[in-house]
Amino acid sequence: MSIFSHQFHHLSQLLERARHDWQHTPFSCTHLPWADLAPPLLAMNEEELDELDENDHRALAWLGQWRPALLTPYFQPLPELNRASDYHTPHWSSGIGGRKWAQIKDFAANITAFGSQLAKNPTLPILEWCAGKGHLGRLLAQQGANITSLEWSAELCAQGQALAEQLQLNHTFICTDALSESAATLFKAQQCGVALHACGELHLRFLQHAAQAGTQELALSPCCYHLISGECYQPLSKLGQAHDLKLDRQSLRLPLQRQITGGERVRKLRHLELTWRLAFDELQRTLTKNNSYLPLPSFPKALLSGSFSEFVGWACNKKGLVAPLTIDSSHWLALAEQRRLLVKRIELVRHRYRYGLELWLLLDKALFLEEQGYQVQLGTFTNLANTPRRYLIQAKRPLPVT
Ligand SMILES: C[S@@+](CC[C@H](N)C(=O)[O-])C[C@H]1O[C@@H](n2cnc3c(N)ncnc32)[C@H](O)[C@@H]1O
C-alpha cells in the first residue's frame, strides 16, 4: 500500500462521515443545519465570522473542537516543492509579471527537478496542454526545450506563435479542441506533458491520454474541478472508485472557494456581491411564487458599480424573468442582511473542508498514475500569495535498468 493509498483510504472515510458538514448549499438553507455548532456560530458577529474564515489555520483549530477528525494527519498540508531562484521579468516576458509570472517560474522550476530526464536530455519534447498564449511553454523554450502548445483559442495561438517567432524559439502551437479525439494522438512516450491550470475535464483527459500513451513525464496543476462533462466526478483510480464520494458540481466548487485576500476593496466587493445575490434571491422567490433558491452565474464586477435595480434587470434577463417596473431596493437589501449572516455561518464550517476535498481529488489522480506504473510526487509548486491553485502532481515512468 503506497503512502497515498493509506491517506486516501482514511480521508475518504472521514469525508464520507462529515458529508453533512460540507454538502449543504448555503443559499438554500433557512436555518443552521447543525444543532451542536449553533451556539458557537451564533455567538459570533459578522466581523468575527469574516476574520475567522480568512484565517484558515485558526478556523480549523476552532472547528476542530467539535470535529476532531479535521485535526488528524489525513488533512495535513502537502509538502512545498521547488521554487524559482528569482522572479525578475525579462524583456521577452511580454508584459506578464507579478503573481502570474511567479507561478510560471515556479512551475518551470519543478519540471526539471524530480529526477527529470529533461535535466540530462533537454531535447525531450514537451507538450503544453491548454496553453493559453503559451507563457509557460515560452519560458521552457527559452531554456532550450522543444515545445508544442495545444490551445483551442485561435487568437491566443496566433499571439503565442508570433511571440515564439519573434524570439526564434522551438515553440509551435496546435490550435485544436483538447476534448477532440485527435488531441489524444499528440501524446507520445518520449515526451514530457505539462498542464498549468487546466480545468476539470481537460486535466482528466490529459491524465488519461498520457497514461494511455505511456508519456515519460507529467506535471499537472489542476483547477476548476467542477468543469466536467458529467453530473458527478468519476474517480480515475480503483481506490477512488471503491470510495467514490459522488461529488457533484456544487461540491467540486468548494475547493475553489479559497481566495487570496485582495485587501479592503476586494473584501467590500465580495460583501456587496453576496448581499445583492441574496437580495435578488429574496425578490425572485416573491416574483416567481416559488420558495426555492435560483442560482445566478458569475458576472463581471463592473455590474456592482451600478444600482441594485440595474443588477435585478441583468439577473432577471439571465433567468428569463420579467423585472418588476419598480423595485423597493431597501426592502430586498434589508432581507438580504439577515440571510447574509446565515450564509457566512454555514460557509465558515463548509470552508474547513475545502482542502480535504481538494486533497481527495489530487490523491485520486496520484493513485491513478501509480496504478499506471508512474512514480508520483504531490505538493505545492508556488506560494499561496501567488495563487490558491498551487498543487502540483508530478509523475515519471521509472527508466528501464540498463
Ligand atoms: C486557465 S487557462 C490556463 C492557460 C495557461 N496554461 C496558463 O496557466 O496561463 C485555460 C486555457 O485552456 C483553454 N481551453 C479551454 N477549453 C479548451 C479546450 N476544450 N481545448 C483546448 N483549450 C482549451 C482556454 O482557452 C485557456 O487558454
Side-chain angles (χ1 to χ4, degrees):
M1 210 186 209
S2 76
I3 295 178
F4 295 140
S5 56
H6 178 78
Q7 185 173 13
F8 186 79
H9 179 78
H10 289 278
L11 188 63
S12 301
Q13 289 181 335
L14 294 176
L15 289 170
E16 186 57 60
R17 276 189 224 126
R19 189 176 281 281
H20 187 53
D21 279 355
W22 51 264
Q23 216 177 26
H24 293 284
T25 312
F27 275 42
S28 310
C29 294
T30 50
H31 59 276
L32 281 175
W34 316 282
D36 62 332
L37 296 178
L41 284 169
L42 291 169
M44 278 183 272
N45 63 28
E46 190 162 8
E47 207 179 314
E48 289 166 332
L49 286 165
D50 286 346
E51 248 181 51
L52 191 55
D53 196 26
E54 275 178 22
N55 186 333
D56 214 25
H57 190 66
R58 209 158 62 78
L60 209 58
W62 172 82
L63 188 58
Q65 298 173 83
W66 298 273
R67 303 287 189 268
L70 279 170
L71 307 177
T72 60
Y74 310 114
F75 286 86
Q76 283 306 299
L78 287 169
E80 265 189 19
L81 303 176
N82 262 13
R83 299 290 185 265
S85 54
D86 73 76
Y87 300 100
H88 302 314
T89 41
H91 68 279
W92 51 264
S93 71
S94 55
I96 30 163
R99 291 174 182 170
K100 185 72 204 166
W101 184 244
Q103 290 167 36
I104 289 169
K105 287 280 292 203
D106 284 340
F107 194 96
N110 281 284
I111 293 175
T112 42
F114 188 45
S116 168
Q117 278 302 295
L118 280 163
K120 284 183 240 136
N121 174 15
T123 57
L124 185 70
I126 296 183
L127 173 64
E128 185 189 19
W129 191 244
C130 301
K133 265 191 228 176
H135 296 307
L136 172 66
R138 197 155 48 257
L139 172 62
L140 295 168
Q142 283 282 359
Q143 295 169 358
N146 168 1
I147 313 285
T148 303
S149 291
L150 173 141
E151 165 60 48
W152 74 348
S153 154
E155 197 184 326
L156 295 179
C157 286
Q159 290 176 16
Q161 193 64 66
L163 286 166
E165 278 159 26
Q166 244 174 43
L167 298 165
Q168 300 183 323
L169 299 175
N170 204 344
H171 186 186
T172 312
F173 280 74
I174 296 186
C175 190
T176 194
D177 182 354
L179 302 181
S180 66
E181 275 180 30
S182 64
T185 61
L186 295 172
F187 290 82
K188 307 277 180 258
Q190 275 309 306
Q191 190 182 54
C192 168
V194 301
L196 171 58
H197 295 158
C199 300
E201 197 63 37
L202 301 168
H203 66 241
L204 295 174
R205 297 288 175 99
F206 172 80
L207 293 174
Q208 286 163 325
H209 294 331
Q212 180 77 36
T215 301
Q216 185 68 43
E217 294 179 9
L218 301 173
L220 160 69
S221 170
C223 76
C224 300
Y225 299 98
H226 62 293
L227 297 179
I228 48 172
S229 48
E231 282 308 307
C232 282
Y233 179 75
Q234 305 287 329
L236 293 177
S237 68
K238 292 198 180 90
L239 206 57
Q241 288 154 13
H243 293 276
D244 190 358
L245 293 177
K246 304 210 166 33
L247 298 174
D248 60 12
R249 292 200 193 138
Q250 138 93 359
S251 305
L252 291 167
R253 275 177 202 272
L254 190 54
L256 310 169
Q257 285 183 9
R258 176 152 199 183
Q259 286 161 340
I260 302 299
T261 318
E264 202 44 37
R265 203 185 78 82
V266 174
R267 198 175 286 127
K268 276 192 182 142
L269 274 180
R270 255 187 239 151
H271 180 90
L272 189 64
E273 175 172 349
L274 179 57
T275 310
W276 282 17
R277 280 179 178 272
L278 288 167
F280 171 74
D281 192 50
E282 289 292 332
L283 181 147
Q284 71 77 19
R285 285 177 197 236
T286 305
L287 199 64
T288 59
K289 299 189 178 56
N290 181 352
N291 195 18
S292 47
Y293 167 55
L294 184 67
L296 285 176
S298 52
F299 55 82
K301 299 291 166 266
L303 206 56
L304 295 170
S305 50
S307 68
F308 176 65
S309 301
E310 285 163 348
F311 177 74
V312 170
W314 169 85
C316 283
N317 189 345
K318 276 277 162 212
K319 290 289 158 183
L321 302 173
V322 179
L325 283 178
T326 52
I327 294 164
D328 182 355
S329 299
S330 49
H331 169 72
W332 302 115
L333 291 169
L335 290 177
E337 288 290 310
Q338 295 161 23
R339 269 183 70 195
R340 200 179 58 233
L341 249 100
L342 174 65
V343 167
K344 286 193 175 179
R345 289 188 167 116
I346 298 172
E347 293 290 32
L348 180 63
V349 175
R350 286 186 82 230
H351 285 171
R352 306 301 57 89
Y353 292 90
R354 284 181 303 213
Y355 176 65
L357 285 172
E358 183 156 19
L359 187 56
W360 190 89
L361 289 162
L362 293 165
L363 286 169
D364 173 51
K365 292 161 183 70
L367 286 166
F368 166 73
L369 290 169
E370 280 191 345
E371 285 166 12
Q372 302 295 318
Y374 284 92
Q375 287 170 6
V376 186
Q377 170 173 276
L378 255 187
T380 64
F381 70 91
T382 196
N383 293 346
L384 184 61
N386 295 327
T387 174
R389 302 275 68 76
R390 63 193 191 116
Y391 296 110
L392 177 65
I393 303 170
Q394 274 188 286
K396 62 177 178 192
R397 289 204 169 274
L399 290 175
V401 185
T402 48

